[in-house]
Amino acid sequence: MRSFLLSSFLSFFLFVFCFAQEKHSLTVSGTVRSEQGEGLPALIVVHELGKGTAADMDGHFRIEGLNPGNYHLHVTHLGFKALTQTITLDAKDLELNLTLSESAITLQSLTIEANPFKNGPVEQSQTIEVVDREFLEKNNSGTFANALEKLPGISTINTGVGISKPVIRGMSFNRIMVNDRGIKQEGQQWGADHGLEIDPFDVDRVEVVKGPASLIYGSDGMSGVINISPAPLPREGIIRGHFINSYRTNNAMRSHSATVEGNEKDFVFKGRVTLQDYQDYRVPADNFVYAGFELPVFDSRLKNTAGKERHFSLMGGLRKNWGKTTITVSRFHQKAGIFTGAVGIPNSYNLRHNGDYGNIEFPRQNNTHLKVISNTTVQLKKNWLELDLGYQRNQRREESLPHIHGIGPTPEGNLALYLDLNTFTANVRFNHYINAEHQSIIGFQTSLMDNRFGGFEFLLPTFQSWNAGMFYFHEYRWRENIIVNAGLRLDGAWHQIESHEQPVYDASLNPTGETVVRNPDINRNFANLSGSTGMSWIFNEHTNFKANLGSSYRIPTPIELATNGIHHGNFRHEIGDAGLTSERSYQADLNITHSLEKLLVGFSPFMAYYQDYIYLAPTGRFSTLPGASTLWEYRQNNAFFAGAELKFQWAPAKGMQASLAGEYVYNQNLDTRLPLPLTPPASLLGSIEWSLPQTAQFLENSYLYLEYRQVASQNRVDRNERTTNGYGLLHAGLGWEVSVYGYPWKFQVSGQNLLNTYYFNHLSRYRLLNLPEQGRNINFHLKIPFNIKSN
């Protein structure tokens, strides 16, 4: 497979350079104006090439060096609704007169690119949320997933403060996909304590597709997809960058990140380095109750929840009139402590601090994720060919003391569990422009995963897994204001899982020489067909109705088939089922949006029926393995999901925005007539932001915001699952810019949980230990931009 990928890289690049002859040099020019006829200095970007320009103060723009073909222009300007314009170049230059509508709603100035046809935000039939770097920096909580919690329908599963993973409409793990530059992130995402290995500072743009997305993205996209895409790179002749420094008071988290990006004669490049260190975090409590015992929390700090992270990424490539090609290499490394008590039964002795709050003791995680991603887009007349190739290596080390696990000294030392996952991925899409009414996409995706393990513990066996799928997707503009789409997908998968025998130890922690079979050899093949259809009905320039229907399937993973061991990060013994069958879903997703200059209202109901839904459930029994707690097992039942999201944004006065975002998820196990476990409770997030008047010449773009989140109690729980009381959290922030040598230095001071509320997060892994969440936290943030070269 490595030889295959290498030959694919070389063959495709050879094809690109042979094809890339500059046949023509056409120009797109024109003006961008408001509805009142005033010129706007908007940003115009050619999506397929990732290149663009800024209009001058009179709204005039000019983009040169284009070949004949079909393109999508994204036009954005703060204070106006984003515009996507489809253009066709033949044998002569094109002049455009573009008009933007005013909007006081900030997020309406962002375009949506997750739609596979790259057209405007109203054409796609799915519900999509878009955020940019400014949003992510303002809401940075130390992890990428936590920054997305402000979006309706998005929540997170947390382990402490440094480990989190996203949840979309009550589903996570292998039911949502995270795509980084077109490649699915593969990093043991099946575990609730396995965080998302993404540098939170190395994300420029995020598009969250909510609802069934398996057709385009693959079988794991049953509940949604999170697409991470790079921002447009600088224009030719510009080299720029920035420094980011932040400090969080609760756990003394120190974050430092620096980036440089540029464009020299169509050679584009970008590099980033990030360092984060944090200590044990504080909770508003001095004790907690576990298994009927009251245990202390010394100095209100959870012992051994400190960590450190070191990340880097480097991208280089070419951007020409025939297309673009880039290669990105990144490495994520995290060393994080796991609360002392997560392994074995906690007691007062091992919970006592030694005074070093930054010390990372046992048990702990030591994780590294390496990615090499190639993205290439080539123009073929009016069509576009896209190729994404990726290699990932995820190395996960869980370190602990052997005697805690009921065994004596081992050759592995303190390495309890080592998982080494290698993944090769290839995605090919051919975007075929038929005419102004019809366009289609033909795609092929494949991946090969090879997982090895080591250490004195056993959780997941050695396995090889191959997946492949192909799809056809078609969009038809039935009327000028009605766009429909439909598609079919065929998937196949093969799992080869090796058996494993685990040594047995006696009461004195010595090996007996005997072994026990933890899982047998398992070989499974799967194949199935899925499809979806949708429509977007544009009532008028203010109102848009969308509907999407889909039937998709998900294959059981090797983890669900074969795991059998103590998952200490989750405080439980997890066991798989080799007889699990494929999961089938039938989903409906609606969205209606009404948008005015100062008002936006969106409502998105959804429902789904799952046949043979796979989930991990508590059994109410204790494990027989040493050092274990309760036994959880993978089960399969029919299930029903329903819910809705509400989004309301209002600009009552100049410089003021108010918003309200609500979400609710209901589910039911149709066989047991009980709710499914780990369902997020209903919540409501209200916020108001003021753009403050300029009080001094050197203070610009100042703002103040207040937020309040109310979370309902979660009393609809599975058998043997705890209920969780509701709570309310108050957040606030203040930001401003100071001009230093002509550069806008951005300052922000923000606070989370300002009332130091004592509460439990129903989805937190520490909820099983009755540990409260992080207390009051004040964040200081500074961003310093700089230019090395400007044209």
Side-chain angles (χ1 to χ4, degrees):
M1 187 66 179
R2 297 179 191 228
S3 300
F4 165 74
L5 275 180
L6 180 60
S7 62
S8 297
F9 272 102
L10 295 177
S11 300
F12 196 77
F13 289 143
L14 179 61
F15 164 75
V16 167
F17 285 106
C18 290
F19 177 83
Q21 305 297 319
E22 298 192 2
K23 305 171 186 176
H24 297 81
S25 182
L26 299 177
T27 299
V28 174
S29 60
T31 59
V32 182
R33 299 186 183 279
S34 68
E35 292 177 315
Q36 289 73 35
E38 298 176 353
L40 300 175
L43 178 65
I44 303 95
V45 176
V46 181
H47 171 84
E48 288 78 5
L49 303 178
K51 65 184 293 185
T53 187
D56 61 23
M57 296 305 297
D58 294 322
H60 300 293
F61 71 92
R62 184 180 181 87
I63 302 175
E64 300 177 333
L66 300 177
N67 283 333
N70 193 56
Y71 300 91
H72 296 91
L73 300 184
H74 294 322
V75 187
T76 56
H77 186 60
L78 189 62
F80 292 81
K81 287 185 181 180
L83 172 69
T84 297
Q85 180 80 32
T86 301
I87 63 171
T88 299
L89 292 178
D90 292 318
K92 61 181 181 179
D93 297 341
L94 181 65
E95 186 169 348
L96 300 171
N97 292 309
L98 305 174
T99 301
L100 299 185
S101 301
E102 288 191 60
S103 174
I105 309 301
T106 303
L107 292 182
Q108 291 202 66
S109 64
L110 300 177
T111 58
I112 295 178
E113 300 177 4
N115 183 348
F117 294 111
K118 319 304 180 193
N119 46 21
V122 297
E123 278 87 349
Q124 65 255 337
S125 61
Q126 290 186 291
T127 305
I128 301 177
E129 303 279 355
V130 187
V131 295
D132 60 0
R133 166 161 289 283
E134 182 178 352
F135 175 93
L136 295 169
E137 289 178 356
K138 183 181 294 186
N139 297 285
N140 180 29
S141 302
T143 68
F144 163 66
N146 285 123
L148 301 179
E149 284 190 295
K150 300 291 180 68
L151 301 176
I154 311 298
S155 49
T156 60
I157 295 175
N158 299 317
T159 302
V161 299
I163 302 170
S164 67
K165 64 194 313 149
V167 178
I168 300 178
R169 293 179 170 175
M171 297 187 190
S172 187
F173 310 111
N174 291 93
R175 285 189 184 84
I176 69 172
M177 294 177 63
V178 177
N179 289 329
D180 185 9
R181 296 172 174 85
I183 295 295
K184 178 190 173 187
Q185 179 92 358
E186 290 285 1
Q188 312 290 358
Q189 64 266 23
W190 49 270
D193 64 325
H194 304 173
L196 192 60
E197 296 92 353
I198 299 288
D199 179 359
F201 295 97
D202 196 30
V203 179
D204 293 298
R205 180 185 178 89
V206 180
E207 300 185 353
V208 181
V209 182
K210 293 185 289 187
S214 298
L215 177 68
I216 299 295
Y217 299 101
S219 69
D220 281 0
M222 294 187 89
S223 180
V225 175
I226 297 176
N227 286 312
I228 301 172
S229 57
L233 287 166
R235 299 188 300 276
E236 201 281 325
I238 293 178
I239 302 176
R240 66 190 181 193
H242 63 251
F243 299 105
I244 293 178
N245 298 279
S246 67
Y247 178 79
R248 301 175 68 82
T249 59
N250 183 281
N251 61 342
M253 174 179 276
R254 302 167 303 282
S255 304
H256 311 282
S257 188
T259 187
V260 175
E261 61 181 4
N263 182 346
E264 278 289 306
K265 298 180 179 178
D266 286 332
F267 172 73
V268 293
F269 60 91
K270 183 176 183 179
R272 179 178 291 276
V273 175
T274 298
L275 296 83
Q276 287 200 126
D277 296 89
Y278 49 93
Q279 298 179 358
D280 300 337
Y281 69 89
R282 295 179 176 88
V283 295
D286 54 15
N287 63 75
F288 70 103
V289 177
Y290 178 73
F293 296 94
E294 183 175 300
L295 298 169
V297 179
F298 291 98
D299 300 325
S300 296
R301 289 180 181 258
L302 290 187
K303 185 182 180 182
N304 200 39
T305 56
K308 62 173 56 179
E309 301 176 6
R310 302 291 184 266
H311 320 312
F312 86 85
S313 66
L314 183 64
M315 182 276 292
L318 294 174
R319 187 171 63 188
K320 296 289 186 178
N321 63 345
W322 47 262
K324 58 184 177 180
T325 181
T326 61
I327 293 180
T328 305
V329 180
S330 64
R331 182 179 184 270
F332 176 101
H333 177 74
Q334 180 189 59
K335 184 178 181 181
I338 301 296
F339 173 64
T340 305
V343 176
I345 302 300
N347 56 62
S348 297
Y349 173 77
N350 63 24
L351 294 176
R352 186 177 297 276
H353 278 287
N354 60 7
D356 185 358
Y357 298 122
N359 190 27
I360 306 174
E361 303 175 0
F362 298 118
R364 63 193 181 201
Q365 297 181 8
N366 200 332
N367 306 322
T368 301
H369 193 95
L370 173 69
K371 284 186 292 194
V372 181
I373 297 176
S374 168
N375 305 112
T376 301
T377 301
V378 176
Q379 185 181 32
L380 302 174
K381 296 184 178 179
K382 293 185 179 181
N383 309 309
W384 293 90
L385 181 66
E386 299 174 311
L387 175 67
D388 301 321
L389 300 174
Y391 166 71
Q392 302 175 71
R393 185 178 187 185
N394 184 274
Q395 295 173 287
R396 177 178 178 83
R397 295 174 176 85
E398 297 185 2
E399 300 168 320
S400 186
L401 300 172
H403 70 272
I404 299 295
H405 301 255
I407 61 177
T410 68
E412 293 88 355
N414 295 319
L415 182 60
L417 182 65
Y418 172 60
L419 299 176
D420 187 2
L421 176 64
N422 289 269
T423 305
F424 303 87
T425 306
N427 301 327
V428 182
R429 295 173 299 278
F430 179 68
N431 292 265
H432 180 40
Y433 177 79
I434 303 172
N435 54 45
E437 295 179 344
H438 294 270
Q439 51 184 333
S440 64
I441 298 177
I442 300 173
F444 174 77
Q445 299 165 326
T446 185
S447 67
L448 175 66
M449 291 187 289
D450 181 87
N451 188 80
R452 307 287 169 174
F453 78 95
F456 57 77
E457 274 289 317
F458 174 77
L459 178 63
L460 177 65
T462 294
F463 69 83
Q464 291 78 43
S465 179
W466 174 77
N467 294 267
M470 60 186 302
F471 67 88
Y472 176 81
F473 193 48
H474 191 96
E475 183 178 272
Y476 170 48
R477 186 174 286 271
W478 182 30
R479 297 284 189 271
E480 184 61 31
N481 65 333
I482 300 179
I483 300 94
V484 296
N485 62 64
L488 288 174
R489 181 183 180 94
L490 176 64
D491 278 286
W494 164 76
H495 297 322
Q496 182 176 347
I497 305 170
E498 298 182 13
S499 64
H500 175 72
E501 297 182 357
Q502 187 78 0
V504 177
Y505 293 81
D506 60 22
S508 301
L509 306 183
N510 297 314
T512 64
E514 299 178 355
T515 60
V516 59
V517 176
R518 297 290 281 273
N519 76 275
D521 284 324
I522 301 174
N523 290 284
R524 298 289 303 275
N525 298 305
F526 303 88
N528 219 318
L529 188 69
S530 57
S532 73
T533 184
M535 66 165 289
S536 176
W537 183 5
I538 307 167
F539 287 103
N540 51 50
E541 59 179 323
H542 302 297
T543 306
N544 180 213
F545 173 79
K546 301 176 184 180
N548 200 78
L549 303 175
S551 175
S552 55
Y553 96 108
R554 186 180 73 86
I555 62 173
T557 65
I559 297 88
E560 294 163 337
L561 295 171
T563 187
N564 185 3
I566 307 172
H567 200 169
H568 289 288
N570 288 335
F571 328 117
R572 63 198 184 201
H573 178 183
E574 299 177 359
I575 186 167
D577 182 352
L580 295 175
T581 60
S582 293
E583 185 177 285
R584 167 68 68 178
S585 71
Y586 301 91
Q587 299 165 275
D589 185 72
L590 304 177
N591 176 270
I592 184 165
T593 302
H594 184 68
S595 174
L596 302 174
E597 178 183 342
K598 297 183 179 182
L599 178 70
L600 184 146
V601 180
F603 181 62
S604 303
F606 62 90
M607 63 178 181
Y609 168 73
Y610 288 87
Q611 183 178 337
D612 297 323
Y613 183 86
I614 302 170
Y615 66 103
L616 189 62
T619 65
R621 306 191 306 272
F622 281 92
S623 169
T624 58
L625 298 178
S629 182
T630 55
L631 180 68
W632 289 53
E633 62 185 11
Y634 281 101
R635 297 175 180 171
Q636 198 159 34
N637 295 108
N638 296 336
F640 175 77
F641 274 75
E645 293 116 28
L646 172 68
K647 179 168 62 175
F648 174 86
Q649 292 177 292
W650 179 41
K654 184 177 181 181
M656 179 181 292
Q657 283 196 53
S659 67
L660 190 67
E663 58 193 28
Y664 175 71
V665 175
Y666 172 91
N667 59 40
Q668 185 86 0
N669 185 322
L670 297 179
D671 296 320
T672 66
R673 299 299 175 182
L674 292 170
L676 291 164
L678 299 178
T679 300
S683 70
L684 200 63
L685 176 65
S687 67
I688 186 167
E689 180 174 330
W690 296 272
S691 296
L692 303 178
Q694 185 169 333
T695 56
Q697 185 174 359
F698 59 90
L699 287 178
E700 299 177 353
N701 297 324
S702 302
Y703 61 88
L704 171 68
Y705 71 87
L706 291 173
E707 291 181 350
Y708 183 79
R709 180 184 290 274
Q710 182 63 49
V711 179
S713 298
Q714 183 53 286
N715 297 315
R716 298 192 72 257
V717 294
D718 194 8
R719 187 180 292 115
N720 305 309
E721 183 185 15
R722 290 186 178 96
T723 61
T724 303
N725 292 329
Y727 55 89
L729 299 176
L730 179 66
H731 312 310
L734 173 67
W736 66 95
E737 291 182 8
V738 176
S739 180
V740 179
Y741 297 109
Y743 294 105
W745 288 28
K746 296 184 178 181
F747 294 85
Q748 177 176 288
V749 180
S750 59
Q752 292 79 43
N753 192 7
L754 290 175
L755 302 181
N756 206 34
T757 301
Y758 178 95
Y759 71 100
F760 295 111
N761 179 352
H762 187 70
L763 299 187
S764 170
R765 298 301 81 231
Y766 289 159
R767 174 69 182 98
L768 298 174
L769 292 177
N770 287 328
L771 289 169
E773 292 302 300
Q774 193 174 25
R776 183 184 296 110
N777 202 358
I778 307 299
N779 181 35
F780 300 90
H781 181 91
L782 169 63
K783 181 178 181 180
I784 304 174
F786 61 86
N787 281 340
I788 297 177
K789 183 181 178 182
S790 58
N791 57 8

